[in-house]
Amino acid sequence: MRISVLLAVALGGTALHAPPPERTLPPETERAATEIVKKALAGTKAAEIATSLTDRAGPRLAGSPGDEAAVAWGVETLRALHFANVRAEKAPVRVWKRRSESGEVVLPWPQPLALTALGGSVGTPEAGLEADVLEVSSLEDLDARAATARGKIVFFDSAMRKTTEMDGYGEAVGVRAHGASRAARSGALGVLIRSIGTDHDRFPHTGGVDYDAGTPKIPAAALAVPDAEMLTRLGRLGPVRVRFRLACGDEGMGESANVIGEFPGAGKPNEIVLLGGHLDSWDLGRGAVDDAAGCAAAIEGARLAAGASPRPARTIRVILFANEENGQGGAKAYAAAHAAELPAHVAALEADSGSGAPTGLSWLAGPSAEPELRALSDVLAPAGAARLEGNGSGGADVGVLRASGVPLFSVLQDMSHYFDVHHTANDTAMQLEPASLDRLSAAIAAFTYAAASAPEPFERIPESLRIEPKKR
Amino acid sequence: MRISVLLAVALGGTALHAPPPERTLPPETERAATEIVKKALAGTKAAEIATSLTDRAGPRLAGSPGDEAAVAWGVETLRALHFANVRAEKAPVRVWKRRSESGEVVLPWPQPLALTALGGSVGTPEAGLEADVLEVSSLEDLDARAATARGKIVFFDSAMRKTTEMDGYGEAVGVRAHGASRAARSGALGVLIRSIGTDHDRFPHTGGVDYDAGTPKIPAAALAVPDAEMLTRLGRLGPVRVRFRLACGDEGMGESANVIGEFPGAGKPNEIVLLGGHLDSWDLGRGAVDDAAGCAAAIEGARLAAGASPRPARTIRVILFANEENGQGGAKAYAAAHAAELPAHVAALEADSGSGAPTGLSWLAGPSAEPELRALSDVLAPAGAARLEGNGSGGADVGVLRASGVPLFSVLQDMSHYFDVHHTANDTAMQLEPASLDRLSAAIAAFTYAAASAPEPFERIPESLRIEPKKR
């Protein structure tokens, strides 16, 4: 009895508290993934592919002629690289257009200002908007001084912190998204923000403004950092008055497309590993780091994984999303059109963090995925991506799959230079880091191979974590 | 006799071959100059003064409203800093004005181009200039292919080398100055150059074009480096066609002024040590490194030298030159108005190399000046400026004094970042290096003190070296 009691206790303990049998990478998968990393580190076409997109389509805000050129580029490029089932799946997109913009200090003396309309901003009257400046340091500071904002142009002067990942951006971006409506509520006429960026160059950074429903929409623009600093200095001398003109605005709905191509799986072709980047860009630059780099790394990651031996069992699908920057129309259209197929999506990864060196893998899935991912980390180490971080969120576009429980991944990258050029005219092919893009492609490829070859799919995101991603 | 013969030989030898008695710094001068350096390294107002000019006057091409504001700033600032005899001496200046500009690739597909008219360029027809591109690597390459240039837009694609001093600029700038006339001679319709700059940012660099008399003036613009690189890549795919519009042109002569202030000498007030920077700037940026930095270092150099004890014997005169960038109208006016006084100018130094760290002193004077300058080098060592280099040329503005034999000096500086922002919109106060500006001010101040205190003036430039400086 005693023995049987002890046995029962021991068995019960095992059943209740011991971890499930460790899942690690099958030796054959580990070997092939290791080879993939080695091959990618010897050089990929990622920088060449990214450059080609920027040369062919340049600025490509959803619904623009450049966006149309980008879709054509995507279809041609995936076909030329031997993807199967290449197609452009239409997506309705919000269209916003910048026509012209300018601004200047009026008092204490004339000075031109380098500024740009925030994406989605309404325009000013044609003669411009002229008013005294109320300088504030944050949304909270504005709220505290709301009584003095009426009739003013509110200037948010806070500087973005330079961090290795998204932390600095996360802290700073609220002002860009919500500053206009917050200021409008207090009767302000317009908003200028110090650019959400980490450079000291004379490039204003655009990016989406997020008007609250029911609050008057007022014009919102970003000042280049040197111009914001000057405005702050002038403010120390006395009252400052500025004028700016924005000719821009929404132009209703238009059409774009997600570009999709696949490498069908060898044994389980109906199961899908999804790799994405976004094809669109803001309109000022050529969208090299944001996000031709991600598109190219996804393409190269898929090619490297699909080309390895033994062939992966599952289908590797690359999607170059439409309209990430201004509404995620592409992601929403994909989720809607492929709703029936989402249970067969075993993993989704988006590359949208530039061309900086990879440092690790971020994940969001059921807890049983962890041991396998830990084993994969060792494989990713030669690419510099050995770190493993839970509680990830994928990327903005694949985030729409979270509600369906699709396991989400992203490669963590060194983003310390990313926000120097993010959403500026300076986002060109010269900002790409080719060797880091090879490493990024390596990490994506090895992950993809493992996800597409594992005997069992990763455990899906637990119900409790399938919340909607936060608005950006 | 033997002895007397030997003595005669010895005396003769001395008279003919031995160096003249070494002139070094009087101990009192050396001590005071050393103190000046120490004081300056502890901190000057140079960065603050330079920033104040950029905030007050911003872009200030000769004859513009900004230029007028700069003259007012100069007079106010020198007065506030207790200079004596502060005045604005009028100077006729060439006026050129940029109104608007844009450009794009037409074939193989549309792409906007970041470009800017070169200073002095004629405009294009209002609808723009559109033509096929002939890409060449140099003036010589153009000459070799002159037969194919007719009706084309000639694109000079050569990259400027990044060097510590002026070497890279010297090699590259000929294309900017002479490319337009050279292309016009072969029947070209317009010229685009890869910016003469060492950055990879999307800022085109302006700067003067130098039309030959008797050759048709054709429009000339600079492409930002990333846009030039793209044009080169497109050229590898096949024929390239571009269009650009420049609304700009000469507007006749206008008026500006050299701003002058002095610290009168204690014993020889009629002898003058001249320190200069230039007050004007190109019109795209705020002229911080070019040349608010030089103006500020000259001002601080003068203040530090004049404030030392014992007081310098000679007058220290600071001149903030008008119109260095577009014709040197200020320098010419000064030389003409002060012709009678030039023999009493014992030294002239211009600071026009940005705010990089000083590395030495460049000089052009009679050979007997060298030992004294060598002794001074030891004093400049704590500021990092111990190097001594002969065969200097002063700066562009003080260069006009060369014909009169006025000894010319300049502080050598680390210019490795100078051409990243030179003549671009990005030349703002954020590019200033305050600690290096302190060191620059230290070097200028110590030199100035020595020149203003020496028992005898430096030997003047030998007649054979009083040639006109080359055109920039």
Side-chain angles (χ1 to χ4, degrees):
Chain A
M1 282 296 279
R2 177 170 289 205
I3 289 173
S4 66
V5 167
L6 283 172
L7 192 65
V9 168
L11 285 171
T14 301
L16 290 172
H17 305 296
E22 289 274 314
R23 280 186 55 189
T24 56
L25 294 177
E28 188 173 54
T29 302
E30 185 170 337
R31 187 194 47 72
T34 300
E35 276 305 303
I36 287 171
V37 169
K38 197 172 157 189
K39 188 175 172 192
L41 295 186
T44 75
K45 288 191 173 184
E48 184 187 327
I49 292 168
T51 300
S52 140
L53 171 54
T54 67
D55 283 353
R56 177 66 190 85
R60 47 190 185 279
L61 191 55
S64 69
D67 186 40
E68 202 178 324
V71 170
W73 172 91
V75 169
E76 285 163 28
T77 299
L78 294 188
R79 283 195 182 132
L81 294 173
H82 309 297
F83 280 73
N85 307 323
V86 175
R87 72 268 191 190
E89 293 188 355
K90 289 185 178 169
V93 295
R94 178 184 166 193
V95 179
W96 177 85
K97 197 169 170 188
R98 180 190 321 272
R99 288 182 293 274
S100 68
E101 52 200 15
S102 64
E104 61 269 341
V105 177
V106 176
L107 292 173
W109 44 65
Q111 270 276 12
L113 289 171
L115 57 75
T116 198
L118 295 181
S121 176
V122 296
T124 63
E126 206 176 312
L129 178 63
E130 180 180 325
D132 292 338
V133 167
L134 171 66
E135 183 170 348
V136 300
S137 62
S138 63
L139 294 171
E140 295 68 34
D141 187 27
L142 168 62
D143 288 348
R145 301 158 72 186
T148 62
R150 182 160 306 276
K152 301 277 176 61
I153 291 173
V154 171
F155 164 43
F156 290 91
D157 69 4
S158 49
M160 176 178 163
R161 215 161 49 92
K162 192 162 203 154
T163 57
T164 313
E165 294 178 359
M166 295 284 287
D167 318 44
Y169 188 65
E171 292 161 11
V173 75
V175 157
R176 189 189 79 205
H178 308 298
S181 286
R182 206 80 153 238
R185 257 188 261 158
S186 305
L189 302 179
V191 158
L192 292 173
I193 67 168
R194 178 178 164 130
S195 279
I196 308 301
T198 48
D199 58 301
H200 288 175
D201 295 317
R202 200 118 177 260
F203 293 112
H205 297 238
T206 190
V209 66
D210 197 359
Y211 289 121
D212 291 348
T215 306
K217 295 182 176 183
I218 61 174
L223 291 165
V225 168
D227 296 71
E229 293 244 327
M230 184 184 73
L231 216 55
T232 296
R233 284 193 301 270
L234 296 181
R236 286 191 205 116
L237 305 178
V240 175
R241 191 171 176 84
V242 301
R243 181 169 48 221
F244 65 99
R245 281 163 298 282
L246 309 179
C248 59
D250 278 320
E251 306 211 331
M253 295 303 287
E255 194 177 81
S256 183
N258 297 315
V259 175
I260 298 177
E262 296 167 352
F263 291 107
K268 299 169 183 166
N270 294 332
E271 296 185 16
I272 295 162
V273 175
L274 193 73
L275 297 182
H278 67 83
L279 197 51
D280 65 312
S281 77
W282 278 109
D283 57 327
L284 299 172
R286 295 203 176 98
V289 303
D290 187 14
D291 184 32
C295 291
I299 290 170
E300 284 301 79
R303 293 206 317 140
L304 286 157
S309 176
R311 268 183 65 199
R314 299 186 179 83
T315 291
I316 298 168
R317 178 179 290 175
V318 164
I319 171 161
L320 310 178
F321 286 103
N323 189 34
E324 187 272 344
E325 299 290 10
N326 195 28
Q328 279 140 43
K332 290 170 190 165
Y334 181 81
H338 294 262
E341 204 185 30
L342 295 186
H345 281 57
V346 304
L349 176 151
E350 184 169 9
D352 185 18
S353 300
S355 74
T359 58
L361 187 70
S362 139
W363 66 286
L364 182 69
S368 70
E370 187 166 358
E372 195 165 354
L373 295 171
R374 290 230 168 270
L376 182 61
S377 289
D378 294 340
V379 175
L380 301 184
R387 203 171 125 222
L388 185 65
E389 201 159 287
N391 204 21
S393 63
D397 294 310
V398 298
V400 301
L401 309 178
R402 181 172 178 151
S404 309
V406 180
L408 300 181
F409 301 86
S410 62
V411 175
L412 298 164
Q413 292 175 246
D414 178 353
M415 298 180 79
S416 49
H417 296 299
Y418 182 73
F419 293 103
D420 289 348
V421 302
H422 181 248
H423 295 182
T424 71
N426 201 26
D427 184 0
T428 74
M430 293 198 89
Q431 304 295 334
L432 296 171
E433 301 169 43
S436 296
L437 265 183
D438 289 343
R439 288 167 60 187
L440 176 62
S441 305
I444 292 174
F447 163 79
T448 301
Y449 186 82
S453 305
E456 295 300 321
F458 297 118
E459 184 185 349
R460 295 177 82 79
I461 300 177
E463 291 283 350
S464 64
L465 296 176
R466 294 184 190 182
I467 47 169
E468 287 292 310
K470 268 188 251 169
K471 273 191 184 177
R472 302 185 93 196
Chain B
M1 285 293 282
R2 176 170 289 200
I3 288 173
S4 66
V5 166
L6 284 175
L7 191 65
V9 168
L11 284 173
T14 301
L16 289 171
H17 303 297
E22 289 273 316
R23 280 185 55 189
T24 56
L25 294 177
E28 189 173 53
T29 302
E30 185 171 338
R31 188 193 46 71
T34 300
E35 276 304 304
I36 286 171
V37 169
K38 198 170 155 189
K39 186 174 173 190
L41 295 186
T44 75
K45 287 190 173 185
E48 184 186 328
I49 292 169
T51 300
S52 140
L53 170 54
T54 67
D55 283 352
R56 177 67 189 86
R60 48 189 185 276
L61 191 56
S64 70
D67 186 40
E68 202 179 324
V71 170
W73 171 91
V75 169
E76 285 164 28
T77 300
L78 295 187
R79 283 196 181 133
L81 295 173
H82 309 297
F83 280 75
N85 308 323
V86 175
R87 72 267 192 191
E89 293 188 355
K90 289 184 177 170
V93 295
R94 177 183 167 197
V95 179
W96 177 83
K97 196 168 170 189
R98 180 190 321 273
R99 286 181 294 276
S100 67
E101 52 201 14
S102 63
E104 61 270 341
V105 178
V106 176
L107 293 173
W109 44 64
Q111 270 277 13
L113 289 171
L115 57 73
T116 198
L118 295 182
S121 176
V122 295
T124 63
E126 205 176 312
L129 178 64
E130 180 180 324
D132 292 339
V133 167
L134 171 67
E135 182 170 348
V136 300
S137 61
S138 63
L139 294 170
E140 295 68 34
D141 186 29
L142 169 62
D143 289 347
R145 301 158 72 187
T148 62
R150 183 161 305 279
K152 301 276 176 62
I153 291 172
V154 170
F155 164 42
F156 290 92
D157 69 4
S158 49
M160 175 178 164
R161 214 160 50 91
K162 192 161 203 155
T163 57
T164 313
E165 292 176 359
M166 295 284 288
D167 318 44
Y169 189 66
E171 293 160 11
V173 75
V175 158
R176 189 190 79 204
H178 307 298
S181 286
R182 205 82 153 239
R185 257 188 261 158
S186 304
L189 303 178
V191 158
L192 292 174
I193 67 168
R194 178 179 164 128
S195 280
I196 308 302
T198 48
D199 57 302
H200 289 177
D201 294 316
R202 199 116 178 261
F203 293 111
H205 296 237
T206 192
V209 66
D210 197 359
Y211 289 121
D212 292 348
T215 305
K217 294 182 178 183
I218 61 175
L223 291 165
V225 168
D227 295 73
E229 293 244 324
M230 184 185 72
L231 216 56
T232 296
R233 284 193 301 271
L234 296 182
R236 288 192 204 114
L237 305 178
V240 175
R241 191 170 176 84
V242 300
R243 180 169 49 220
F244 65 98
R245 281 162 299 281
L246 308 179
C248 58
D250 278 320
E251 307 211 330
M253 295 301 288
E255 195 177 80
S256 182
N258 296 316
V259 175
I260 298 176
E262 297 169 351
F263 291 106
K268 300 168 183 168
N270 294 333
E271 296 186 15
I272 294 162
V273 176
L274 192 73
L275 297 183
H278 66 83
L279 197 52
D280 65 314
S281 77
W282 278 108
D283 57 328
L284 299 172
R286 296 203 174 97
V289 303
D290 187 15
D291 184 30
C295 292
I299 290 169
E300 284 301 80
R303 293 206 315 140
L304 285 156
S309 176
R311 267 183 67 196
R314 299 185 179 84
T315 291
I316 299 168
R317 178 179 290 175
V318 164
I319 170 164
L320 309 178
F321 285 102
N323 186 226
E324 187 271 345
E325 298 291 10
N326 195 26
Q328 278 140 42
K332 291 169 189 164
Y334 180 82
H338 295 262
E341 203 184 31
L342 296 185
H345 282 57
V346 304
L349 177 151
E350 184 170 10
D352 185 18
S353 300
S355 73
T359 58
L361 187 71
S362 141
W363 65 285
L364 182 68
S368 70
E370 188 165 358
E372 194 165 354
L373 294 171
R374 290 227 170 273
L376 182 61
S377 288
D378 295 338
V379 175
L380 300 184
R387 205 172 124 221
L388 185 65
E389 201 160 286
N391 202 21
S393 63
D397 294 309
V398 298
V400 300
L401 308 179
R402 181 172 178 149
S404 310
V406 179
L408 300 180
F409 301 86
S410 62
V411 174
L412 298 164
Q413 291 175 248
D414 178 353
M415 298 179 79
S416 49
H417 296 299
Y418 181 73
F419 292 103
D420 289 348
V421 302
H422 181 247
H423 294 184
T424 71
N426 202 26
D427 184 0
T428 74
M430 292 198 89
Q431 304 295 333
L432 297 171
E433 301 170 42
S436 297
L437 265 182
D438 289 343
R439 288 167 60 185
L440 176 62
S441 305
I444 292 174
F447 162 80
T448 301
Y449 185 84
S453 304
E456 295 300 321
F458 298 119
E459 184 185 349
R460 295 177 82 79
I461 300 176
E463 291 282 353
S464 63
L465 295 176
R466 295 186 191 182
I467 48 171
E468 287 292 311
K470 268 189 249 170
K471 273 190 185 178
R472 302 183 94 196

